[in-house]
Amino acid sequence: MDLQIYELIEKLHTTHSLEKNEYLALIEAINDETVEELARLATEVREKIYGRDVFVRGLVEISNRCKNNCLYCGIRRDNNNIHRYFLTPEQILSCVQQGYSLGFRTFVLQGGEDRYYTDELLSSLIDIIKKKHPDCAVTLSLGERGYESFKNLKEAGADRYLLRHETADPVHYSKLHPKEMSYESRMSSLYELRALGYQVGCGFMVGSPYQTPSELAADLKFIEKFKPDMCGIGPFIPHKDTEFRDRPAGDAVLTCYLLSIIRLMIPDILLPATTALATADRKGRERGLLSGANVLMPNLSPVAVRKDYALYDDKVCTGDESAACVECLKTRVASVGYKIVTERGDRKGFL
Ligand code: SAH
């Protein structure tokens, strides 16, 4: 390995910080040897903190109705080719109940920005879940709801919030989103969530249109500075009803390489091997775990709506019942020497 790259990896490993141009050099130095070395160090760090445990989050996709029009996303407002749905509170509670019996202790309510879910409705839902299952965490992934709403939902008992920053470069952000969405608003939402006491997750797509190594280096520098509790990254995958339909999908190896870098940057971060990674690579979940990831987020949504929650084409795991998904995941996780645990799985040291 090039001496300069070796030294950068060593610096990242020991100081958890690099200059932006150093992140860029590291990204550009991706090859079999650097991929392997970073994965080796990242799993070592992960095992020191989380052992071989894998935390699971039960994902409930509560609605694919969305007022936003993100250019890359299959459930964007202007896509008239999909069947829109939303789950009723009763349906959501039934998914959570089933997930609880399967061993889940964190539930992620994710969806498009659907006005049906008022603060009042969500608060009562969160309250019911937390009262029924005091040993569980509730994570929200419902977009930019604004400070007051974030505050109300925190007070109702929500523990964590996932809001990917999508890209830490304002010009790149404007190429991925319509004019009415803003980089500043996305970023200030993340700081608001942090100030309200949520465990906060940011993240981005790997290989999104117009992304170059320089934008990725900006993402890494932002993550280093923001120090999120969680970080969701997965390859961009085109969706046929978007203008990015002919763009190439993001690379699974690069995604794993970035997972390793993020693990070394923030040793105790909660880092999922995402469904998009599993879609881009049949062994994506296993490879993610072997690159420093320690979280999986299987789908608990009713099978009848899974195909409708298509952010991108060919999403995996849309046909299986939740119980079958869990069995499949257990086998996959065991195949790489790790073990799924029945725990809330907070970031070490957060509580
Ligand atoms: N509406 C919510 C959550 C749903 S979108 C929100 O805005 O946070 C969840 C994530 O899916 C997005 O943050 C985006 O990074 C990812 N995503 C959307 N379209 C995608 C695509 N075509 N390929 C890969 N990931 C995509």
Side-chain angles (χ1 to χ4, degrees):
M1 192 185 305
D2 195 42
L3 182 63
Q4 188 220 345
I5 298 303
Y6 179 82
E7 284 172 356
L8 285 183
I9 296 177
E10 207 33 49
K11 181 178 173 192
L12 177 64
H13 187 202
T14 52
T15 69
H16 315 298
S17 169
L18 294 179
E19 301 300 327
K20 186 181 162 199
N21 66 332
E22 294 176 323
Y23 281 121
L24 181 61
L26 195 52
I27 292 163
E28 288 178 331
I30 183 169
N31 63 33
D32 291 352
E33 205 185 353
T34 53
V35 165
E36 199 178 308
E37 176 62 4
L38 277 169
R40 185 183 70 79
L41 292 171
T43 47
E44 191 181 285
V45 164
R46 169 255 207 267
E47 286 180 25
K48 224 178 253 169
I49 297 174
Y50 292 105
R52 296 182 154 252
D53 291 354
V54 173
F55 298 142
V56 286
R57 320 312 196 182
L59 183 66
V60 186
E61 298 156 333
I62 66 172
S63 166
N64 70 354
R65 304 194 301 191
C66 193
K67 70 175 164 74
N68 279 340
N69 218 6
C70 306
L71 272 56
Y72 45 82
C73 186
I75 64 169
R76 63 201 304 264
R77 182 187 66 223
D78 286 355
N79 184 2
N80 295 319
N81 280 331
I82 58 169
H83 170 251
R84 300 281 173 176
Y85 77 91
F86 67 96
L87 300 183
T88 63
E90 293 70 28
Q91 283 176 302
I92 297 170
L93 290 170
S94 137
C95 294
V96 166
Q97 189 55 47
Q98 195 188 5
Y100 191 86
S101 336
L102 290 168
F104 290 91
R105 295 297 177 267
T106 288
F107 299 99
V108 182
L109 308 185
Q110 189 182 81
E113 296 194 20
D114 180 351
R115 293 186 189 86
Y116 169 75
Y117 297 101
T118 58
D119 288 358
E120 206 179 351
L121 192 154
L122 284 171
S123 295
S124 79
L125 193 59
I126 295 165
D127 185 58
I128 296 173
I129 297 174
K130 299 286 292 193
K131 287 217 169 90
K132 205 158 177 208
H133 305 296
D135 53 343
C136 289
V138 171
T139 303
L140 304 176
S141 177
L142 301 169
E144 295 176 41
R145 295 182 61 91
Y147 184 81
E148 275 311 307
S149 176
F150 291 153
K151 182 162 179 282
N152 292 337
L153 302 177
K154 184 79 187 65
E155 281 164 6
D159 300 276
R160 311 185 189 126
Y161 207 105
L162 301 175
L163 185 73
R164 290 186 176 185
H165 64 284
E166 311 298 358
T167 170
D169 181 283
V171 175
H172 187 214
Y173 191 93
S174 69
K175 293 179 182 169
L176 298 177
H177 299 93
K179 278 195 296 297
E180 63 273 17
M181 290 180 71
S182 91
Y183 169 83
E184 288 71 26
S185 159
R186 199 74 176 176
M187 288 299 185
S188 53
S189 296
L190 283 170
Y191 286 94
E192 288 170 4
L193 290 162
R194 152 86 41 87
L196 287 165
Y198 284 96
Q199 293 176 59
V200 184
C202 65
F204 59 93
M205 292 175 286
V206 178
S208 61
Y210 311 107
Q211 184 186 69
T212 69
S214 163
E215 279 77 35
L216 285 175
D219 286 320
L220 293 178
K221 198 61 199 172
F222 166 69
I223 292 164
E224 182 199 303
K225 194 172 88 191
F226 183 66
K227 292 205 176 14
D229 303 285
M230 313 171 276
C231 183
I233 73 168
F236 160 76
I237 300 173
H239 186 288
K240 60 180 178 351
D241 298 322
T242 66
E243 68 182 73
F244 294 147
R245 66 182 68 83
D246 295 324
R247 297 276 179 162
D251 186 66
V253 176
L254 176 58
T255 304
C256 289
Y257 189 68
L258 293 165
L259 285 173
S260 299
I261 293 175
I262 295 168
R263 170 63 65 201
L264 293 182
M265 186 196 288
I266 311 178
D268 59 7
I269 197 166
L270 297 164
L271 205 54
T274 57
T275 304
L277 180 57
T279 300
D281 178 337
R282 265 179 43 254
K283 294 262 177 196
R285 290 208 180 87
E286 293 86 328
R287 296 209 164 101
L289 293 175
L290 292 173
S291 306
N294 68 325
V295 173
L296 295 174
M297 302 172 64
N299 202 325
L300 292 181
S301 310
V303 176
V305 304
R306 293 220 194 151
K307 284 224 174 342
D308 296 328
Y309 197 80
L311 308 179
Y312 46 82
D313 289 334
D314 304 318
K315 189 172 140 198
V316 293
C317 310
T318 54
D320 296 326
E321 289 292 343
S322 306
C325 281
V326 170
E327 281 317 305
C328 164
L329 277 191
K330 278 187 182 156
T331 313
R332 287 175 182 272
V333 169
S335 77
V336 292
Y338 291 136
K339 166 172 118 276
I340 290 179
V341 293
T342 294
E343 281 180 35
R344 271 173 59 119
D346 292 285
R347 179 169 66 72
K348 202 109 191 171
F350 185 86
L351 303 176

